Amino acid sequence: MTCIAFLAAFGAAVSGCAEDSPPAAARGAPAFYQNLDNAGARVDAIAARDIISVYRVNHGLAAVAVDPQLQREAETQAAAMARANAASPGIRGSLKSRLAAAGLPRAAAAENVSAGYRTLAEAFSGWRQSPPHDANMLNPKMRKIGIATVWSPDSKYRVFWALVLTD
């Protein structure tokens, strides 16, 4: 029953964001299920915002917004992990030091990094099932996100993910 309520709420959230992104039919598969294991594929940040927001709201928390500066940080982190062929948050130093160097100091910041998930649905599900990643998404201090993927065809992982969350 909870799953049905969650999916219904997700559908309502996504349908309310039509002005932010093209309709799912125009993009092929719904953004949540688009295969990102190919050249030029990029995670739909609006769809990610929507699903993370619905998840947070279902847990009594505020929704999140996509922040362009955090988007750039997530893109840089995902690209660095792909170059290193490793899903590690420390590849470029700590998140707080990276944010400070980019002129984005935050009192609260967290990130979820991963590799190998082919769709937003897989990444979100994996993060929910991982207690530290889930805690990041459900941290009540978080209000802004940036999310990115980088395709690396020669890597065993192929798709690298970075989700940055801040206050």
Side-chain angles (χ1 to χ4, degrees):
M1 186 66 165
T2 302
C3 183
I4 293 170
F6 178 78
L7 292 174
F10 174 67
V14 171
S15 67
C17 296
E19 68 277 358
D20 292 333
S21 61
R27 296 185 313 254
F32 198 57
Y33 296 108
Q34 274 188 322
N35 183 357
L36 302 175
D37 186 8
N38 57 76
R42 296 174 56 95
V43 65
D44 184 330
I46 301 303
R49 174 206 64 195
D50 292 345
I51 192 64
I52 293 168
S53 289
V54 168
Y55 185 55
R56 287 173 56 85
V57 168
N58 282 345
H59 285 83
L61 302 169
V64 293
V66 175
D67 180 278
Q69 294 174 310
L70 296 179
Q71 275 297 115
R72 286 190 290 282
E73 174 55 33
E75 290 164 4
T76 302
Q77 181 67 11
M81 292 187 310
R83 281 191 304 277
N85 195 27
S88 171
I91 294 235
R92 298 174 38 243
S94 73
L95 176 59
K96 289 219 177 207
S97 68
R98 294 189 331 253
L99 291 174
L104 303 169
R106 300 286 200 248
E111 72 183 325
N112 289 354
V113 299
S114 56
Y117 297 123
R118 302 300 198 260
T119 67
L120 176 57
E122 289 175 3
F124 178 71
S125 180
W127 292 336
R128 278 193 353 231
Q129 293 173 17
S130 162
H133 293 103
D134 193 49
N136 288 341
M137 291 190 301
L138 293 176
N139 184 325
K141 295 178 182 175
M142 303 308 166
R143 296 288 191 270
K144 298 176 183 176
I145 68 165
I147 187 168
T149 55
V150 170
W151 182 60
S152 183
D154 297 326
S155 167
K156 69 179 180 178
Y157 303 110
R158 300 185 58 87
V159 182
F160 290 83
W161 291 80
L163 169 66
V164 179
L165 306 105
T166 67
D167 56 356

